[in-house]
Amino acid sequence: MDGYHQHQYLEGEVRIPSGCAISGIIDRSGKRFSGSDAITSISVMHDRSNGLGGGFAGYGIYPEYEDFTALHIFYYGSEAKRKTEEFLEEHFDLINLSKIPTEKHRAITDEPLIWRYFVMPLPTKLASSQLDEDEYTARCVIRINKEIDGSYVFSSGKNMGVFKAVGYPEDVGAFYRLDDYKGYSWTVHGRYPTNTPGWWGGAHPFSLLSYSVVHNGEISSYDANRRFIEMYGYACTLKTDTEVITYMIDYLHRRQGLTLEEVSSVIAAPFWSTIECKDEEERNALTYLRNTFASMLITGPFSIILGYNGGLMALNDRLKLRSMVAAEKGDKIFIASEEAAIRIIEPNPDRLWYPIGGKPVIAELYTTGQGGAHGHQLPVSGL
Amino acid sequence: MAINYLYPDFEVQRNESRCITCRVCERQCANLVHHYDAETGRMTSDESLCVNCHRCVSLCPTRALKIVKTDHVFKENANWRGEVIQDIYRQAETGGVLLASMGTPKPYPVYWDKMLINASQVTNPSIDPLREPMETTTFLGKKSTTIRRDEQGKLITDTTPQLKLAIPIMFSAMSYGSISYNAHKSLALAAEQLGTFYNTGEGGLHEDFYRHGKNTIVQVASGRFGVHPGYLNAGAAIEIKMGQGAKPGIGGHLPGSKIGQDISKTRMIPLHSDAISPAPHHDIYSIEDLRQLVYALKEATNYTKPVIVKVAAVHNISAIASGIARSGADIIAIDGFRGGTGAAPARIRDNVGIPIELALASVDERLRAEGIRNQVSLVVGGSIRSSADVIKAIALGADAIYIATSALIALGCHLCRTCHSGKCNWGIATQNPELVKRLNPEIGSEHLVNLLTAWNHEIKEMMGGMGINSIEALKGNRLMLRGIGLCDAELRILGISHAGA
Amino acid sequence: MKRVYVNEAWCLGCHLCEYYCAYANSGLTDMVKALKDKVIRPRLTIEQEGTISFAVSCRHCTEPLCMKSCIAGAISCKDGLIVIDQSKCVNCYSCIMACPYGALMPSEEQVMQKCELCATNSHGQPVCVQGCPNKAIVYEER
Amino acid sequence: MKHIVVKSRDYQEVNQEIRSTKDKNIVLSEVFGQRYLGSSLKDRELTIEGTAGNALGCFLDGGIITVHGNAQDATGDTMNDGKIVIHGSCGDGTGLAMRGGAIYIRDSSGYRSGIHMKAYEDKQPLLIIGERAGSFLGEYQAGGTIIVLGRNQAGKSPVGYFCGTGMHGGTIYLRCDTLPVSLPPQVAVRDADEADMQVLGGLLEEYCSLFAFDKTELLASHFFVLQPNSATPYKMLYTHV
Amino acid sequence: MHYLIIGNSIAAAAVIEGIRSQDPEGAITVVGEERQACYARPLISYLLQGKTDEEKMRYRDQAFFDKHKVTVLCETRASHLDAGTKTVALDDGTTLTYDKLVLATGSSPFIPPMEGLGQVKHRFTFLTLDDALALQQVVKGDSRVLILGAGLIGLKCAEGLFGQVRSITVVDLAPRILASILDEKGSAQVQEHLQQKGLTFHLSDRVKEFTANEALLESGTIVGFDMLVVAVGVKPNTSLAKEAGLAVNRGIVVDTSMRTSGKDIWAAGDCAEAEELVSGQHKVLPLLCNAYLQGETAGKDMAGLTEPFNQAIAMNAISFFGLHVITAGLYEGEEKLFAEEGSYKRLFVRDNHLIGYILIGKAVERAGIYTALIRNQTALDTIDFDLISRQPALMAFAKSVRQQQLGGSV
């Protein structure tokens, strides 16, 4: 462990509530564009961050390795790197490994070693584990993060990558040279943690496999959620809201096979009084989901953008205690904490609306999803 | 008469300048403490009969009465305290087992009072329960482990039977026999009005109360009193009572003198014969036998009722709970050692079992460690005294709470702890019709409804303060608790940090 | 009209209603001063026999025989409330002869008195109802 | 007339410039979410082109702010007097704790509009929303008037859930044929009568002329009037220790 | 619609209330012989006693007549009734027409012929307020009063004068006082009470001859007096009815709706003769309570609501110097007697029903419960008669009846 961290609480040793800014852009035609729009967008909301964390997730950025898991790893010291690579070699075929290219930036300091690996599970290991590839990879990632001191996998999806650091998000974008990457969707986060340690791993997006979450708000249900999700093999090492949200989404969407709408009606379940108003079939379904996964209800203010292969989902808490705006222009869908963060990159959207609390906005590639941005909306007309 | 070593514990103090000799004290004391002396035109009292139930004090219209602790003492002795000496006198004189009622009065630590609750400041808004939705609805029962869909891909939503509580508090088991008809009726009416449940205890279900079935939990205990298929199907859930916090490992008996016409009929036993509840169920000598009974009850009710297994909090409670969770039970009820009772051997009540706070914390943690917490709901009882206790219990991991002593106090009980005498002046723990009449269920149920409505408001306020607007987000949310004045071992078991950390 | 109704199932025979009544109609603000060492003359009666007891007080009949029998025109009906003008009463007992409930009785001053639902004393609400520990007497619209 | 091009300039700088200028009329163009524009402004008119940032016109004290575009969250936060005119929509928390003046929104407003609005003597705040408002409209309202005109809503209720929750003063007028769902128990609803229509006629005068809406046509529709049952909804809640 | 009421006492007031409960508008005229507005005659003895005054004696005040829009003609006598033309001639020469008429003419004192009566200077009857006022005029501290008649009127007069005069002597033909309402033992008890107070009785005796200040009794006793009150009885005022050809026995005969035999003519009060409940016979019951109930029944019937009143029974509540006496019904059949110090109770039972009672002293408490047993003709085997005969109590009724009485409608 380096000196910086020896004198401070590590992320995960204390729970850090935080407020933030988020933004997300997707081109549903699959056209890839650089990270600079995301940087511009988040920079408008500078006041919502405090320089203690910023980060990006880009989807479609590694087309040449799309069948391989891209692991982005922070190392604090070469011993951590050695142990981790040993572990990786034991469990995966390593196709490519390199340092992630960065550019020195005066606002970004104390950087760890930042490495990238494109990997595929060793077929024999995978077979003997009796797990599917995702579960196998997820467990390996959790093990590294939990068991190898000084090593932290912060991105583990396919054809996607997370880039994050301590600093303002626009500086983080420059540091990682995101102009050089092209993706069909981007999410970005500026962080305003209310407790001191800003640790690189603690910045958003938080990611597991191809799921990445940027989050604005602070949830009051944290420990109820954490203690529940940890029953299912997850280890919440970072003690952040975003981490637990990501795991819950992974559990509900990937492992339980719920649709994203169903996931939303678990984690941002409608009030019972609202459920009562629904027709019988919907009422039964909503009651079933809320009751079955009662401990995954998230309370307190939050707005998140979930990135996944092929789409973005934005979701507000059911009281809509955090702001969120969405807009559409041609093939592109924009989501941000503030309208200005959209206008700065797209001054004249075709339409613009305020998503309703507890109801997801889902935007997917035409090829993988329905292609529309759907969900309940509070439209803003006159545009 | 032989020498009487015992001096009365209490003195009746009558303020003569206030007494208007209305004689209500005389008329209302079933222990015959007060008398009117026609010669002097004054009231007199025999305090040796007084149990300090406050009936006379409460009804005296001029507040001319109070009961004080006698200042008659033994020579001071920190070890051989007066009560210890008196107990020995009692046993020496009678050769009897000391019998006592209600929860233990001994000064064991109350962990509820050593935990503090969190509130939001700045980073997260607190919520006002009066205007924003604030939900305390709770479902009890086994949850699905995997999502199933039909051919159209629609969710299959038929869960195993659940209990829906509008408020996460239920009235725990008290049998008709241990408490009166009117006390039962009060509980039934209140449960119905509150959208929660009351529990028959092991005394069967009076025919008048079948109409409250949808708010009734019917209990099956070792005595199997009044248990028949109609009874099992009458309630919303069935509770198997393995043990009770006040007297773990001990059976009980309702003396034949209390088995009047109505109770005899309800319990389905002959008039004036003792109603004996054995210590164990004689068909359950092991955990797999429990499973057999659980499924026997499910078969008898065609899998329409959740089955609760109630156990006393004992040393290896978490292992026991794990076993119960795997027995097919839908709900585990754990009763802490401070729980009340109509009658228990005093030494057992005061020395056997563990506090519910620690039992709950360790059971919840154990079930989570085993990944089976969602397969079973957890209900805890045993001296839950306020909404703050409720909040703390839920934050430690309980789904819902059982209350009994608090409910009895709401009905007028003054905790004089002489339930076993059958002369409850408040009409609660008695079968004497003259005394039973003193509890008008209309008033009783109103008080219970008021109490839980007030608690629910407080729960909502505290939840709102934490920024939580649905009770499920509080469940097991131990970050919302901090310990105060607790040692490391206690903090570790409770799974909470010390205040300030 | 709201009246006092009795449910004997809940009457405990504690007689508190009688004392509260006597106090309420004493005109004094201190119960002790009003009742101590006095023979009370409540405006309601507890009937008691074995385990049964209940309070009886004026029913405020819609066809009040007491009023119709009063030779002095001292009893009248004000918005359903049957009241006695004690200054007119000559203590002839015609009302006692007429009332089927036995709800009238002479006062200490030897004029008739009866329950006037505490509407005519300083309490305003029937004090027997407030003082009943078991809702055996209620004051309501039926 | 002073013209400031804002673009990506820092809000502190822009507000400083507004404060230091002597012109009565100030135009801000190319605004991208700068916060606190027109904060505590008095005696001046501010015209904004673009997207006004959070807390637009907070503590406004008599000035007039006109936005050609949308405003973000907390527009008119605790405003005391003056006027905010939005030729577009607003985000959440519009008119938060507003206690005087008027906010006129041509289109829609987000969650918690008019939250904790209050009135005192001659301070009678007014919030008019042309189309629809999100959930919790008039939450905790203690005074003043909120009007939602429900334009383009086809007679459906133009507000979300929990409208008027915690309301203990003031009035909400809703122009629609269907009541919102989940109205809280504190709120009493009635149909607008002749006297209400008179009041509405007065209140809508300026609004309609600003946006060139046909007042007569608006007033020809059905309005609901929402008022609190009690000024002290908490009274019965407590007992003393 | 014009309602005409002849008489201005209790029955008249009740007629007005009866009419107005049904008909708020029809014109009502009351014709009364007396100077004073409506008052209750039984109060005159209390006036003498000083327990009431003229103002308080008013049974219904002026506001009552104003509120009910009633025209009252005082000091006016109806001299002739023509049922055919529906007119009533008044002694001032005017004639009133009516649509509906009620005769509430009351009764008058009966004065038997007695020798030398004309020589008596201070000679009174005791029925009206004017009688009482006239008496009051001449009362002096040293007056010796002779009262003929030991019935209710005579004795109430005696009580009224007691303490204001030197002596009171009562003479009655009957062997005991209050013979019409009390049994022997009861009479004796009351008599003893009155004698203790200082009244002198000459019973089974009568005045043979009066001189100015002395009465010679048949027994030979000579009673000196300064004032004479004749209170031997009353007779119903039926002359108008007789003239008009209505059926009249002792009183004007009426049915249970108080209709007389004449079209659109009702009668109520002391002048009327209606069926008595217990005996089933037509009787004049000169009791205030009956006057009211009959008047109310007549008034309602006149205005269109027929509610028969068939519960008339003879009953009396009377007190002398704090000793209360309440009696009702007939004194026949089996009896139950309870007598103790200061309390006397006799109940009369026939065919499973209570038909009469005599209560004296403490026994009068809650007497109405007994009255109701007679009135409602309660079958005694449906109640705990043992209990109720000891003490009038609702406890004696079945629980369901009690619930109805105390928890149900009234």
Side-chain angles (χ1 to χ4, degrees), chain D:
Chain D
M1 159 98 79
K2 164 96 173 172
H3 185 196
I4 305 171
V5 179
V6 180
K7 281 192 173 159
S8 60
R9 289 178 63 187
D10 184 73
Y11 70 82
Q12 287 188 9
E13 217 180 283
V14 177
N15 276 324
Q16 195 56 48
E17 193 172 340
I18 292 170
R19 274 192 290 274
S20 58
T21 181
K22 299 265 186 303
D23 290 317
K24 188 168 167 19
N25 290 299
I26 304 158
V27 177
L28 306 181
S29 61
E30 295 182 67
V31 172
F32 285 102
Q34 277 75 8
R35 297 179 174 196
Y36 321 117
L37 295 176
S39 168
S40 64
L41 200 70
K42 209 173 177 163
D43 308 329
R44 233 90 62 80
E45 287 192 26
L46 196 61
T47 305
I48 294 170
E49 287 157 4
T51 303
N54 291 2
L56 168 73
C58 58
F59 306 104
L60 189 68
D61 202 17
I64 298 172
I65 300 175
T66 304
V67 179
H68 295 284
N70 295 330
Q72 296 187 161
D73 297 344
T75 300
D77 183 352
T78 323
M79 74 184 266
N80 193 43
D81 202 356
K83 205 183 325 175
I84 300 178
V85 181
I86 311 287
H87 291 266
S89 292
C90 284
D92 298 338
T94 306
L96 159 64
M98 167 182 189
R99 75 169 108 78
I103 300 179
Y104 297 137
I105 303 166
R106 188 191 64 196
D107 302 334
S108 294
S109 184
Y111 275 53
R112 283 165 231 285
S113 303
I115 179 172
H116 221 160
M117 182 188 254
K118 49 176 81 68
Y120 179 67
E121 295 186 343
D122 62 332
K123 295 279 185 206
Q124 295 290 337
L126 172 63
L127 169 62
I128 306 181
I129 298 162
E131 299 192 343
R132 56 174 285 130
S135 296
F136 300 101
L137 175 74
E139 182 177 21
Y140 235 154
Q141 189 180 350
T145 306
I146 301 174
I147 305 172
V148 185
L149 292 172
R151 297 179 67 245
N152 309 323
Q153 306 297 313
K156 282 189 300 204
S157 166
V159 298
Y161 294 110
F162 308 113
C163 174
T165 185
M167 185 178 188
H168 53 294
T171 308
I172 299 175
Y173 297 99
L174 301 178
R175 179 176 164 270
C176 54
D177 302 320
T178 326
L179 263 186
V181 290
S182 70
L183 278 181
Q186 303 95 330
V187 171
V189 189
R190 57 182 174 79
D191 299 312
D193 58 21
E194 204 54 44
D196 296 310
M197 298 312 285
Q198 285 287 323
V199 172
L200 278 167
L203 293 173
L204 288 174
E205 190 65 52
E206 186 180 19
Y207 180 85
C208 286
S209 73
L210 273 168
F211 299 120
F213 291 155
D214 183 345
K215 191 175 107 176
T216 323
E217 189 198 314
L218 288 173
L219 287 176
S221 313
H222 176 259
F223 280 82
F224 286 111
V225 184
L226 278 60
Q227 277 166 326
N229 285 326
S230 160
T232 53
Y234 287 80
K235 208 172 103 190
M236 294 309 294
L237 190 60
Y238 299 106
T239 185
H240 294 280
V241 179

Side-chain angles (χ1 to χ4, degrees), chain E residues 301-312:
Chain E
D301 194 48
M302 290 163 81
L305 177 70
T306 303
E307 271 180 357
F309 169 58
N310 53 11
Q311 290 187 316

Side-chain angles (χ1 to χ4, degrees), chain E residues 17-64:
Chain E
E17 286 175 9
I19 292 171
R20 282 292 180 248
S21 72
Q22 306 303 316
D23 176 0
E25 288 308 325
I28 302 176
T29 305
V30 174
V31 175
E33 279 182 45
E34 289 179 72
R35 263 184 318 117
Q36 300 88 351
C38 181
Y39 69 94
R41 299 226 161 92
L43 291 177
I44 59 175
S45 71
Y46 299 98
L47 179 74
L48 289 185
Q49 254 181 311
K51 269 178 130 174
T52 186
D53 57 34
E54 267 196 74
E55 182 56 36
K56 285 185 195 159
M57 277 175 74
R58 299 186 64 159
Y59 187 69
R60 295 291 186 263
D61 58 14
Q62 189 56 42
F64 169 83

